[in-house]
Amino acid sequence: DFGAEFEEEEWERQIKKELAAKKQKEASKSASTAALKATNLSPEEKKLLDKQTEERKRLIGLLDGDFLRALCAIRCLCLSDIEVGNKCLPTFSSTVISAVVSESDAFASVAKLKTDSFETLRTLASCVYEIDETHAATLARALSICHNKDMRKKSSVEKG
C-alpha cells in the first residue's frame, strides 16, 4: 500500500539525515581535535615550525622577487643592443636553460617563473649573430627540449 511505502521512505530519509549529521559532527570534532593538537606544540616543535616558515618566506622572496628581477635584467641587457646580448650569452645561457627545464617544486609553485625563464631564453636566442631573430622562439624550444633530455639521462644514470 502507498501510505506504508511513503512512511518507510520518509523513515529512511530521516535516518540518512541523522547519519549524515552524525558524520559531520564527528568530522568537525576530529578537525577541531587536530587543530587543538597543532596549537599544543612543544617549544621545540614551535621553534622548528617558525624556522621552516621563515625559510619558506625567504625562498618565496628569492624566487618571486629576486630571480624574476634577474631574468628581467637579462632581458633588458639583451634588448638594449644585440652586441651586448651576444656578449651575455656565455654568462647567462646555462643558468637560464636550467631554469626553463627545472622540475623543482619551487618553480612549479610560482607559475610566472617558467614563462619568464622561457621568455628570457628566447630573448637570449635572438642575440645569436648567426641566427635570424625570427627563429629565436624555435631555437629556445629546441634548446629546452635537448637540455630536458640531457637532464633525464643524467637522472636515470644517477638512479641506476
Side-chain angles (χ1 to χ4, degrees):
D1 84 77
F2 181 72
E5 285 179 29
F6 180 75
E7 284 180 29
E8 192 174 316
E9 286 178 19
E10 188 62 32
W11 178 78
E12 283 181 27
R13 250 188 252 121
Q14 187 63 32
I15 295 293
K16 286 180 181 178
K17 277 184 183 178
E18 289 174 5
L19 284 173
K22 187 177 178 181
K23 283 183 182 179
Q24 187 177 14
K25 188 177 180 181
E26 287 176 9
S28 66
K29 190 176 182 180
S30 66
S32 64
T33 304
L36 185 62
K37 285 181 181 178
T39 58
N40 291 333
L41 297 174
S42 70
E44 296 86 26
E45 291 171 327
K46 285 182 182 180
K47 194 180 277 186
L48 178 62
L49 185 62
D50 290 343
K51 185 178 178 182
Q52 289 172 342
T53 302
E54 286 301 314
E55 183 65 12
R56 231 178 265 108
K57 286 179 185 177
R58 187 184 72 77
L59 289 174
I60 291 289
L62 281 173
L63 293 174
D64 202 18
D66 297 344
F67 191 74
L68 288 175
R69 280 193 296 273
L71 291 174
C72 185
I74 293 169
R75 284 194 305 274
C76 288
L77 276 172
C78 292
L79 293 172
S80 67
D81 185 38
I82 193 164
E83 289 181 22
V84 172
N86 193 274
K87 294 283 185 191
C88 291
L89 285 172
T91 306
F92 299 126
S93 59
S94 63
T95 303
V96 174
I97 290 173
S98 295
V100 169
V101 299
S102 176
E103 294 179 5
S104 166
D105 290 337
F107 269 73
S109 68
V110 183
K112 194 165 170 54
L113 284 175
K114 282 290 190 188
T115 56
D116 276 13
S117 296
F118 184 81
E119 186 58 29
T120 303
L121 182 60
R122 190 200 60 73
T123 304
L124 278 169
S126 70
C127 294
V128 177
Y129 287 140
E130 295 80 11
I131 296 173
D132 190 65
E133 280 185 49
T134 58
H135 302 295
T138 306
L139 177 61
R141 262 194 307 282
L143 284 168
S144 65
I145 290 169
C146 290
H147 196 71
N148 224 350
K149 287 180 182 178
D150 287 345
M151 296 292 283
R152 283 193 206 120
K153 283 181 186 177
K154 286 179 184 177
S155 67
S156 66
V157 167
E158 289 171 1
K159 288 179 184 176

